[in-house]
Amino acid sequence: MSEQVSWVPEGVDTGKPSAARLYDYLLGGGHNFAADRTLAEKFLQAQPNARTIARLNRAFLRRAVLFMMDNGIRQFLDLGSGIPTVGNVHEIAQKADPEAHVVYVDFEEVAVAHSQLILENDPRAEIIQEDMTKPRDVLKAADESGLLDFAQPVGVLTVGVFHFVPPEADPKAIVAAYRDAVPAGSYLAFSQFTQDLQPKEMAGVVEVMKKSQNPMFPRTKSEIEGLFDGFDVLEPGIVPLPLWRPEGTNTDDPDKAGIYAAVGRKV
């Protein structure tokens, strides 16, 4: 049964859980529905560390954006950006430099609607409703936004989303299309679930997500390495979330992180 809430875009079936709203729930957000919470509880049964993993993934996003800012990046393309929660890319980037530009990309109606609401008074950030697995459409819309100059280096962000891209969609070709659209000196930040860490829990999560709109496809470290063709993978390489350039004292167990993370620079 669908929930009728004033902020829900017309036509959204709230009875069908979505990955964007599941992630929102795990992060402690309020833009999720009963179906999402039911799925999230099953997700938590399979992977009891899921809330910590969501927090670690969000923290990686912040560190990656600030790293890129430190290396001169002032424009970002955030693929599969999800439901806006505290610590969005434009907030992180514009705190460091108010002139930073951000184009968010998502296909989920609630994520898009809330992004539009948050960004309506920010001329330097925009959400485009496109499928990130169709780079040609995404890049056309991003170019038409007028916010990104593809002659200058871009920070491309694919954080916690590529585990929803099935093998038959040719993930390598998708990443390559974005790589080819940006100049040398651009960066790619990447994180996704892997079966290399906690394989039993990961198998349970895959089983749970089969019943959702967004089945999951974890990848091995070597498979993720293949997605970085044309990029120099920067130190410390492809590592569990808490090991990517941690700040301060790091007490999170990398073996329970569930997700590999890395940043590469286009050569």
Side-chain angles (χ1 to χ4, degrees):
M1 182 176 170
S2 290
E3 294 177 52
Q4 295 305 311
V5 186
S6 61
W7 49 262
V8 180
E10 194 175 335
V12 172
D13 183 355
T14 61
K16 288 184 177 179
S18 87
R21 299 193 301 265
L22 166 67
Y23 189 47
D24 175 69
Y25 176 73
L26 292 175
L27 284 169
H31 297 116
N32 49 75
F33 308 115
D36 306 305
R37 296 187 284 275
T38 298
L39 181 66
E41 291 308 321
K42 291 176 183 173
F43 195 106
L44 282 160
Q45 286 172 15
Q47 173 48 280
N49 207 38
R51 289 188 187 278
T52 298
I53 293 170
R55 172 180 60 79
L56 291 173
N57 195 56
R58 200 72 183 174
F60 163 69
L61 172 66
R62 177 182 171 275
R63 297 198 304 278
V65 168
L66 290 176
F67 170 80
M68 293 182 193
M69 295 288 292
D70 286 345
N71 286 274
I73 299 297
R74 291 296 181 270
Q75 49 179 1
F76 296 89
L77 180 63
D78 186 358
L79 302 170
S81 51
I83 299 219
T85 53
V86 175
N88 269 292
V89 175
H90 73 284
E91 293 172 336
I92 300 163
Q94 290 174 359
K95 187 175 180 182
D97 183 345
E99 295 298 314
H101 288 195
V102 179
V103 171
Y104 293 105
V105 181
D106 210 294
F107 201 59
E108 206 275 332
E109 293 95 334
V110 174
V112 171
H114 276 280
S115 297
Q116 287 171 337
L117 199 62
I118 282 174
L119 301 173
E120 63 183 356
N121 295 317
D122 188 336
R124 295 179 182 86
E126 186 176 316
I127 176 83
I128 56 177
Q129 186 166 9
E130 294 288 350
D131 183 343
M132 70 172 188
T133 66
K134 298 175 180 175
R136 183 181 297 179
D137 296 341
V138 170
L139 291 164
K140 182 174 183 287
D143 187 48
E144 288 172 351
S145 76
L147 290 178
L148 301 184
D149 177 0
F150 285 100
Q152 299 297 321
V154 178
V156 180
L157 308 168
T158 56
V159 177
V161 291
F162 250 74
H163 38 243
F164 299 117
V165 180
E168 58 267 26
D170 199 350
K172 202 167 178 179
I174 292 168
V175 177
Y178 290 111
R179 178 201 66 211
D180 292 346
V182 297
S186 295
Y187 289 85
L188 170 68
F190 184 97
S191 69
Q192 83 142 80
F193 272 103
T194 177
Q195 60 268 56
D196 295 355
L197 305 171
Q198 295 191 293
K200 181 183 173 186
E201 288 84 350
M202 191 68 251
V205 165
V206 168
E207 201 56 40
V208 167
M209 295 303 288
K210 278 181 182 175
K211 301 175 181 70
S212 79
Q213 297 178 75
N214 308 103
M216 288 179 73
F217 305 90
R219 291 186 171 85
T220 64
K221 181 182 266 192
S222 62
E223 287 174 321
I224 293 170
E225 281 171 355
L227 300 178
F228 275 90
D229 280 0
F231 293 92
D232 274 341
V233 178
L234 306 175
E235 290 295 330
I238 299 168
V239 294
L241 285 168
L243 298 184
W244 196 88
R245 304 190 181 220
E247 297 172 333
T249 306
N250 179 21
T251 58
D252 291 294
D253 183 351
D255 292 333
K256 294 182 178 179
I259 289 179
Y260 276 136
V263 173
R265 187 176 187 273
K266 182 175 176 180
V267 292

